[in-house]
Amino acid sequence: MAPGNQTRVTEFILVGVSDHPDLQTPLFFVFLVVCGLTVAGNLGIITLSSVDPRLQIPMYFFLRHLAVINLGNSTVIAPKMLVNFLVSKKTISYHGCAAQLGGFLVFIVAEIFTLAAMAYDRYVAICNPLLYMVVVSPQICLLLVSLTYLYSLTTALTVSSCVFSVSYCSSNVINHFYCDNVPLLALSCSDTYIPETAVFAFSGTNLFFSMIIVLISYFNIALAILRIRSSEGRQKAFSTCASHIMAVTVFYGTLLFMYLQPRTNHSLDTDKMASVFYTLEIPMLNPLIYSLRNKDVKDALKRFLISHANCSN
């Protein structure tokens, strides 16, 4: 078809998690529960880490921002996905798709580097406890979070601009439940070398450098814990970072599963299932991991509930 005869796409159709009609209503209720737990859990973490005086340390400052990021990521993806379970016309406008991709990239990149900052925080707390409040001062914490959000926004604007700089003029059916760069570029009717290179470069660079920070931090933490002579001391040191280790393992494990697949075995359906996990399940699991495995958060929740019960009486 000649370029002059091609019709430019003005909206996209999202296939969704599943295209089976009988599964739409059950899936709606499943993901409605997931979203409800995500909102409740992350708002709970934000509230407790903001109002409880014993949680006013760098560790919980980063945890609060992780909860904000998880809440934002779910808010970008979930509402449109839930609506599409109930309607027959599962469309999203061209500009709405661009906005959703940009929002998703902001929060997923922010999560990667917030987890890295939290690993560094645990490294300083365990390996240099006497300098903890100096090295990880409130000013440094604020600087790290500000740089994370600024870099995330820059990455999102760059990558989404590249993805939407190509032409979409034939098929507009996205085999996904949200606007992601890989299934979008698969629909393009023009050369996708530059946007694909940008996506690969940013994804690889972000994953590599954040993982290096996490691995180096935990390698040094492991050495420091092994040097502690008492088993009680080792257990106490390990307990301060157990929740974060679990969250990092789940998050990076999912991303590595996606990016390290051989291209011959790679499929958009596999990406879709992995995306469900890190866009919807992980934001729901993180508050549970950090509350059930963290005595400080559990104690803060008890104090919060007791104070409100006393106020109501």
Side-chain angles (χ1 to χ4, degrees), residues 126-291:
I126 292 173
C127 299
N128 296 288
L130 297 178
L131 297 175
Y132 180 55
M133 295 308 296
V134 176
V135 177
V136 194
S137 65
Q139 293 80 10
I140 295 295
C141 291
L142 188 60
L143 177 63
L144 287 173
V145 167
S146 299
L147 289 175
T148 295
Y149 287 134
L150 181 61
Y151 176 72
S152 303
L153 183 60
T154 303
T155 301
L157 289 172
T158 304
V159 173
S160 56
S161 296
C162 287
V163 171
F164 281 89
S165 66
V166 298
S167 300
Y168 297 95
C169 43
S170 51
S171 174
N172 67 337
V173 179
I174 301 175
N175 185 19
H176 219 305
F177 59 93
Y178 69 96
C179 293
D180 197 9
N181 43 50
V182 174
L184 266 169
L185 290 173
L187 301 178
S188 175
C189 55
S190 60
D191 183 26
T192 59
Y193 175 77
I194 291 177
E196 283 180 346
T197 302
V199 169
F200 178 80
F202 275 100
S203 300
T205 302
N206 294 339
L207 197 56
F208 175 77
F209 282 107
S210 62
M211 282 195 66
I212 287 294
I213 295 170
V214 171
L215 290 174
I216 290 175
S217 297
Y218 276 107
F219 176 75
N220 284 286
I221 287 171
L223 292 179
I225 290 175
L226 290 174
R227 285 196 292 266
I228 300 173
R229 294 185 178 181
S230 69
S231 59
E232 184 181 347
R234 285 196 297 269
Q235 186 176 359
K236 184 178 180 181
F238 178 76
S239 67
T240 64
C241 54
S243 299
H244 186 253
I245 291 173
M246 191 180 299
V248 163
T249 301
V250 172
F251 183 77
Y252 281 102
T254 306
L255 291 183
L256 289 174
F257 170 77
M258 287 183 61
Y259 286 107
L260 295 183
Q261 290 181 86
R263 292 193 66 84
T264 52
N265 297 333
H266 197 85
S267 73
L268 291 178
D269 286 333
T270 305
D271 280 356
K272 192 192 300 185
M273 292 302 104
S275 296
V276 167
F277 199 73
Y278 72 74
T279 59
L280 299 170
E281 301 294 336
I282 289 178
M284 179 193 72
L285 291 174
N286 277 343
L288 295 175
I289 291 171
Y290 283 103
S291 58

